[in-house]
Amino acid sequence: MTAKRLFNEAEVRAAIGDIARGIYQRVPPPRSGWAIVGIQRRGVPLAQRLARALEELGAPALPVGSLDITFYRDDMGETALHPVVHETELSFDLSGKILFLVDDVLYTGRTIRSALNELMDFGRPSRIYLVALVDRGHRELPIQADFVGKTVPTQKEERVDIHLTEIDGDDGVWLSPRAVKTA
Amino acid sequence: MKDLLGLEALTPAQIEHILDVARPMKSLFTRSIKKVPALRGKTVALLFFEASTRTRSSFELAAKRLSADTLSFAASTSSVTKGESLLDTAKTYEAMKVDFMVIRHAASGAPELVAQAVKARVINAGDGSHEHPTQGLLDIYTILEKKKRLDGLKVVIVGDILHSRVARSNLWGLTKLGAHVTVCGPATLIPAGLPEVFGPKVTVATRLDEALEGADVINVLRLQRERQQGDYFPTVREYTELFGLNTDRLRKAKPDCLVLHPGPMNRGVEISSEVADGPRSMILEQVTNGIAVRMAVLYVFANPEGLPATPPDGKQAAKAVTALKALE
């Protein structure tokens, strides 16, 4: 019944730092065409933190956008979901950009599929890298992340909850059995 | 809830949920690709048994921007002229497996009659003098976008209240969200017992100059001459003299008062051109918002359970995270 903490505050920060260093070392320059897009909701503050971490490493000021994929989901009409819809804010031209698409948890891959479709409606990035704080497995589509903070083996009925200070008041990653409700 | 028949049946939370979904819909309009795949594969039949240009175009565009397919029907060119009944027409479309029926009809209650007979979702696009819920929602959306709140606002609705479905949907929606509404018009065109039906937030005035004092919003109704089969007022000229909104009258309202009109306008009758084209006029804004609100309605009702009885609250979702922490 109890939730297990996978990351504490320091570990969340360290994971973002590790991802930033990985990107900085492995993605070839020029860095001027880089841009970061976070998937609503917790991908957005992660994207902002990643931009700051990259800038501290020496990258130029990076444009950061947010993406709400609700209207691009493929399960409308199948599940009784009434999601809270957030706004998509992409104030820069995606065409020709090297995009880092950021999500908190990588799971079935369907969110990423939706996000890619939505991004293509905005423009034609020259390359998209996928970044996730946690990869919990159980993919249903052939999608893999390029940069991951932590890979966590999970059961399908378990849930992974990410807390970020900007939204939740604290930082942390939690694994809990399905019976535990956070909301 | 399967169908949207009127705002009377909705809770404040349900109204707010639709408006919450309409906001991101509106932000799609500034994209170069204004279409999202949310309702791909769904079919929306637009059954307009009564003339309408803007509402029908608005629903059609709303459906198309959600990637739904639309099917249009105009009573004047259909089997209705051959004597087919409303329910037979509806069941014919049901047999074609449409997901939505958007119905405009001259008879109050027609969409409800259809809603009980078909499995498809029915959206009322205006029925007689009963309700026009999406117009009410888009009016509220427009007010909220500018004023940020409804609670405590003074809204004046002026015109033919008796025959107006727009007035009824506005009255239900506005009072549920906390606004004070003053209805104003010739005494012959104001139904009796409004405060008894809508509660103490609704007052009745027969002098527009007095009603406008301290108003935050004025919703000017169209003088629907086609609906008035009787002598409700002496002449159109006198109506304009007493109830037409012009620049002089507008000065009586608050300086930042918004002017709404559901269209189509009779310029120089219920509203002067100067006001209609003036800086406080929200009339074209209403048209834009109408598409966003109708997209939100189609989207929300496309769910298997339709509009939820207790929709998610965007503001509270952020707060509900402490439980886990306590379990460590």
Side-chain angles (χ1 to χ4, degrees):
Chain A
M1 270 303 285
T2 46
K4 186 178 146 201
R5 187 155 77 175
L6 303 176
F7 272 13
N8 62 24
E9 296 200 11
E11 285 164 332
V12 169
R13 270 196 295 275
I16 294 167
D18 288 346
I19 291 170
R21 271 186 297 281
I23 289 173
Y24 204 78
Q25 285 159 11
R26 283 166 45 203
V27 178
R31 303 186 175 102
S32 54
W34 288 8
I36 306 186
V37 175
I39 299 176
Q40 291 278 15
R41 273 182 88 209
R42 285 169 182 78
V44 178
L46 281 176
Q48 286 155 349
R49 292 192 199 185
L50 184 60
R52 253 174 287 147
L54 285 168
E55 283 156 24
E56 278 166 23
L57 292 171
L62 302 176
V64 178
S66 63
L67 200 64
D68 185 288
I69 55 99
T70 309
F71 301 140
Y72 284 76
R73 291 176 68 123
D74 61 5
D75 54 358
M76 186 74 194
E78 279 155 41
T79 49
L81 274 175
H82 295 280
V84 178
V85 187
H86 301 279
E87 301 225 5
T88 289
E89 175 77 51
L90 287 170
S91 51
F92 50 90
D93 185 9
L94 298 188
S95 301
K97 287 270 190 306
I98 309 284
L99 272 196
F100 297 93
L101 179 62
V102 183
D103 202 2
D104 55 354
V105 180
L106 182 56
Y107 183 29
T108 61
R110 289 183 189 271
T111 300
I112 306 304
R113 197 280 307 164
S114 304
L116 292 174
N117 282 10
E118 183 164 13
L119 284 174
M120 298 310 166
D121 280 354
F122 277 89
R124 188 180 183 281
S126 67
R127 168 132 201 200
I128 301 177
Y129 290 95
L130 179 59
V131 178
L133 186 63
V134 173
D135 181 351
R136 61 164 296 188
H138 303 287
R139 219 75 82 237
E140 294 170 5
L141 297 173
I143 284 173
Q144 300 303 332
D146 298 288
F147 300 95
V148 174
K150 189 182 178 88
T151 301
V152 184
T154 61
Q155 301 295 314
K156 271 208 99 152
E157 55 285 351
E158 288 173 320
R159 17 181 308 164
V160 174
D161 289 285
I162 308 272
H163 287 200
L164 293 172
T165 310
E166 296 89 331
I167 293 170
D168 312 294
D170 63 345
D171 279 358
V173 178
W174 307 78
L175 181 68
S176 54
R178 183 172 45 184
V180 177
K181 284 260 179 188
T182 50
Chain B
M1 185 180 287
K2 173 172 105 61
D3 312 285
L4 179 63
L5 302 174
L7 297 189
E8 180 180 0
L10 301 195
T11 65
Q14 286 176 316
I15 293 174
E16 279 165 0
H17 179 59
I18 295 172
L19 301 174
D20 282 344
V21 175
R23 281 179 202 103
M25 293 293 184
K26 190 177 177 185
S27 70
L28 297 178
F29 300 173
T30 55
R31 298 187 187 177
S32 57
I33 295 176
K34 296 173 178 61
K35 194 167 171 158
V36 293
L39 295 194
R40 202 160 57 94
K42 304 268 186 230
T43 308
V44 179
L46 306 165
L47 310 181
F48 280 65
F49 296 87
E50 196 184 59
S52 157
T53 318
R54 74 184 58 215
T55 305
R56 189 164 135 184
S57 305
S58 182
F59 266 111
E60 185 169 348
L61 205 49
K64 287 184 167 156
R65 287 194 177 159
L66 292 169
S67 303
D69 296 306
T70 60
L71 201 60
S72 260
F73 155 103
S76 55
T77 58
S78 76
S79 299
V80 173
T81 56
K82 298 176 189 164
E84 189 179 58
S85 79
L86 172 63
L87 283 182
D88 284 337
T89 304
K91 283 182 173 160
T92 302
Y93 280 92
E94 173 98 325
M96 295 178 188
K97 309 296 177 201
V98 305
D99 301 285
F100 279 93
M101 294 187 195
V102 176
I103 298 179
R104 157 74 58 100
H105 202 285
S108 302
E112 189 175 353
L113 187 71
V114 173
Q116 288 163 355
V118 300
K119 286 193 199 73
R121 308 225 174 272
V122 174
I123 307 295
N124 180 3
D127 61 332
S129 52
H130 171 232
E131 280 219 47
H132 190 351
T134 57
Q135 179 73 43
L137 289 168
L138 79 90
D139 289 346
I140 292 169
Y141 183 95
T142 305
I143 298 168
L144 273 175
E145 195 173 59
K146 297 290 171 189
K147 300 286 183 190
K148 310 295 175 207
R149 66 186 171 95
L150 275 181
D151 202 31
L153 283 195
K154 179 178 177 183
V155 181
V156 176
I157 304 176
V158 57
D160 175 0
I161 311 295
L162 183 65
H163 298 96
S164 175
R165 54 197 176 209
V166 176
R168 270 169 198 75
S169 288
N170 263 272
L171 279 161
W172 283 119
L174 289 166
T175 54
K176 279 171 197 272
L177 297 187
H180 292 272
V181 184
T182 301
V183 297
C184 182
T188 47
L189 288 174
I190 294 183
L194 281 181
E196 284 79 6
V197 175
F198 294 99
K201 288 201 180 79
V202 174
T203 50
V204 175
T206 47
R207 284 174 188 276
L208 184 57
D209 290 320
E210 288 166 19
L212 286 180
E213 269 174 49
D216 297 286
V217 179
I218 308 166
N219 201 342
V220 183
L221 302 177
R222 190 167 73 89
L223 193 61
Q224 301 178 90
R225 276 174 276 186
E226 73 273 17
R227 280 194 215 290
Q228 290 151 8
Q229 295 160 347
D231 298 319
Y232 291 101
F233 52 87
T235 63
V236 170
R237 197 172 140 193
E238 189 193 283
Y239 179 88
T240 305
E241 198 67 33
L242 293 172
F243 300 101
L245 185 64
N246 53 38
T247 311
D248 274 347
R249 284 223 163 93
L250 191 52
R251 282 197 196 98
K252 305 218 161 45
K254 283 192 184 162
D256 59 350
C257 179
L258 306 176
V259 177
L260 277 67
H261 189 297
M265 286 182 277
N266 299 301
R267 282 173 182 266
V269 179
E270 71 266 2
I271 188 164
S272 74
S273 278
E274 216 183 341
V275 172
D277 304 327
R280 294 192 230 158
S281 169
M282 293 289 116
I283 296 170
L284 293 177
E285 199 62 29
Q286 286 172 275
V287 176
T288 305
N289 293 342
I291 300 168
V293 163
R294 291 182 176 113
M295 286 171 78
V297 165
L298 291 173
Y299 180 77
V300 167
F301 278 88
N303 252 293
E305 60 176 48
L307 179 65
T310 49
D313 181 343
K315 290 149 221 154
Q316 279 185 359
K319 291 187 216 157
V321 287
T322 43
L324 245 187
K325 223 176 148 188
L327 287 165
E328 191 189 14

